[in-house]
Amino acid sequence: MTPHVIIIGGGISGLASAIALSHVFTGRDNPPKITVYELRDVPSTLGGPVNLTPKALRCLDMLGVLAELKRMKAGCEVDSIQIFSLRTGNEIGTIDYAGRDGTGFGGYKGWRVKRYDLLRAMLRVVERLSAVEVQYGKRLVGVEEDTQVRVWFEDGTEAEGDMVLGCDGIHSGVRSVFLEPGRTPSYSGIVSAYGFVEAKAVLGEHGSPFFDDTALSMSRYGSTLTTFCDHKRELIYVVLLMPADEQPSREGWKSMDHDQDMVRTEGIRRTQESAIPDIVRMIEGVQDWTLYPVYILPPGGRWYTDRVMLLGDAAHAMPPKGESIGHALEDAIKFSRVVGHYGIDSPVKSFRAYESAQRKKIDDAYKVSSSGWMSNHDLGFIGARLFEWFTPIFLWWTRAKQEDFLADPGAISL
């Protein structure tokens, strides 16, 4: 009988898991059927451009997705994220993706790409895999496990398989309806307000911005991200992390008149007396802001039962300062290697071995990504000066973490 792997969630984590598992079992006897169930009716267009670190690019290359992104001419390469002081206009540090010789880490630099384009590239790879099927409009409502595991959907359909992978994000249905209902994300009080502006509209036909690829500009009132995000570098993506009341939508919403005014007011407040005029013009040039609420999932928690496993943000969503996509891609590759070793008949062996290899690494990454990201309230004059002073030290401390950029995502001791 053909084994069946059920994946709940058709986003980046779910598709990466499907691709990785398919690759591991290619050429073996009786490879599993893999079905991805996505609650939306179509691939999600939510979310702005995402930051892909060298680690994330290495994973995408292993999955065959990086080549697809390059064929699509989607996104642009990033050598570094420059960090500026809005007060002085000076660069106070960088997050380096180019490495000492300028070629990246093992040949991989950073990349900024629209989330939807990344999803499209992954779907193109999935379409070439005969073992993988993606079904849309499938909202999970129930899970039951015994010698097999069964799932039910809101439309009245059901499916049975050998294991279920919950790859359905921070608001995971697998976690909330079955695995750990008490572990729920909470609203952080912060929204990510983002929009786009044409570079030539704020810089002129031949002007250059104050940054090379990506800039994080800090002030006492909060930080602002500005970055190129398209192949021709004609579009600048602008992001403000800002306090806001909780909204009914957990998945983001297009700003209306009230929200537009709120973002503009915050932009003016944040850039008052800015020593970088470009950033003021970029914020003013955005015509349509989208607001996306930031939720926090408590660290720790349970990742698996006998036949159900959480991966990616469903298990360990990182604060927005962290590398959620890189960790989710690594999850998919490492987990597939473990399952390839132990097989699908006894999933709990694979689950236990995977958690043993990945849990501490994820916990350490959470601690690093949690430090400092909530500095989007008025720090005061003294607090802002201290934050500027501490930033280079923090970057020096985290530079040791760059060794992870060179690690093999699939390396796991069994």
Side-chain angles (χ1 to χ4, degrees):
M1 187 174 179
T2 302
H4 185 202
V5 177
I6 294 170
I7 297 177
I8 305 298
I12 292 167
S13 176
L15 295 178
S17 298
I19 295 167
L21 283 169
S22 177
H23 286 177
V24 162
F25 285 96
T26 296
R28 297 194 190 184
D29 293 337
N30 199 27
K33 170 188 173 184
I34 303 166
T35 309
V36 180
Y37 296 96
E38 165 58 34
L39 68 85
R40 298 176 182 86
D41 294 329
V42 294
S44 173
T45 59
L46 294 169
V50 295
N51 178 48
L52 301 175
T53 66
K55 167 180 169 174
L57 287 189
R58 185 186 299 273
C59 292
L60 289 173
D61 199 13
M62 294 174 69
L63 296 172
V65 177
L66 181 57
E68 202 65 54
L69 279 176
K70 291 179 177 179
R71 275 192 289 269
M72 293 165 57
K73 294 185 176 180
C76 61
E77 194 170 66
V78 174
D79 280 0
S80 68
I81 298 176
Q82 296 166 276
I83 301 177
F84 291 88
S85 164
L86 272 177
R87 180 181 63 85
T88 64
N90 295 332
E91 182 178 321
I92 58 176
T94 61
I95 299 173
D96 176 37
Y97 293 149
R100 292 181 179 178
D101 60 2
T103 62
F105 291 82
Y108 300 97
K109 296 184 180 180
W111 204 272
R112 179 74 63 171
V113 64
K114 292 181 179 178
R115 181 182 290 270
Y116 179 60
D117 285 338
L118 175 56
L119 203 59
R120 284 199 303 135
M122 300 185 82
L123 285 167
R124 288 187 179 188
V125 174
V126 166
E127 287 169 2
R128 298 195 288 266
L129 303 175
S130 59
V132 181
E133 178 188 4
V134 182
Q135 294 188 24
Y136 293 94
K138 297 292 183 179
R139 181 179 292 276
L140 184 77
V141 294
V143 180
E144 182 181 89
E145 65 179 6
D146 196 349
T147 55
Q148 292 276 280
V149 61
R150 181 173 294 155
V151 295
W152 289 269
F153 301 102
E154 194 175 57
D155 62 2
T157 60
E158 61 183 70
E160 187 175 84
D162 297 88
M163 72 168 69
V164 167
L165 303 182
C167 302
D168 47 347
I170 191 170
H171 300 290
S172 170
V174 176
R175 189 184 64 243
S176 63
V177 306
F178 177 70
L179 197 141
E180 198 174 15
R183 186 173 173 232
T184 59
S186 60
Y187 178 54
S188 67
I190 299 290
V191 296
S192 170
Y194 66 86
F196 302 88
V197 62
E198 290 187 7
K200 64 181 180 181
V202 293
L203 304 170
E205 196 67 39
H206 304 292
S208 300
F210 65 97
F211 57 88
D212 296 325
D213 302 313
T214 299
L216 185 64
S217 302
M218 296 164 33
S219 78
R220 61 177 284 183
Y221 303 104
S223 57
T224 303
L225 178 77
T226 49
T227 178
F228 288 112
C229 61
D230 62 316
H231 179 70
K232 294 183 178 180
R233 294 175 178 257
E234 296 174 341
L235 201 61
I236 295 175
Y237 173 57
V238 183
V239 186
L240 303 174
L241 285 176
M242 51 187 284
D245 294 334
E246 188 170 8
Q247 302 289 327
S249 172
R250 299 185 312 186
E251 298 185 328
W253 65 95
K254 277 282 188 184
S255 61
M256 304 300 286
D257 291 342
H258 169 73
D259 292 328
Q260 288 276 359
D261 291 341
M262 178 181 70
V263 177
R264 289 194 187 100
T265 300
E266 174 61 20
I268 292 170
R269 183 181 78 96
R270 190 164 296 190
T271 57
Q272 58 186 285
E273 301 178 1
S274 170
I276 308 176
D278 278 1
I279 201 168
V280 180
R281 290 192 288 269
M282 289 172 189
I283 292 173
E284 291 175 344
V286 174
Q287 297 300 308
D288 293 302
W289 293 94
T290 297
L291 276 65
Y292 196 93
V294 177
Y295 282 81
I296 302 297
L297 185 67
R302 189 179 185 187
W303 286 4
Y304 66 89
T305 60
D306 288 346
R307 291 189 175 272
V308 179
M309 181 88 199
L310 299 178
L311 296 176
D313 281 358
H316 50 68
M318 297 285 167
K321 186 180 171 184
E323 191 191 355
S324 283
I325 289 179
H327 292 308
L329 295 172
E330 184 181 67
D331 281 2
I333 292 170
K334 281 194 172 181
F335 180 76
S336 68
R337 297 287 173 89
V338 174
V339 175
H341 176 80
Y342 286 108
I344 292 175
D345 293 340
S346 301
V348 74
K349 290 182 181 178
S350 298
F351 297 169
R352 191 179 295 120
Y354 166 78
E355 183 181 42
S356 175
Q358 197 74 339
R359 172 73 80 166
K360 184 180 185 304
K361 183 176 184 179
I362 291 297
D363 288 347
D364 290 346
Y366 190 96
K367 292 173 185 175
V368 172
S369 64
S370 295
S371 56
W373 83 269
M374 283 287 282
S375 58
N376 287 282
H377 304 274
D378 187 349
L379 297 175
F381 177 80
I382 300 298
R385 293 292 182 92
L386 289 172
F387 196 68
E388 284 185 20
W389 178 82
F390 180 71
T391 294
I393 298 173
F394 178 79
L395 293 173
W396 171 83
W397 175 62
T398 57
R399 194 164 287 134
K401 306 295 181 182
Q402 290 181 332
E403 64 188 27
D404 193 39
F405 292 164
L406 292 167
D408 177 3
I412 189 166
S413 178
L414 297 168

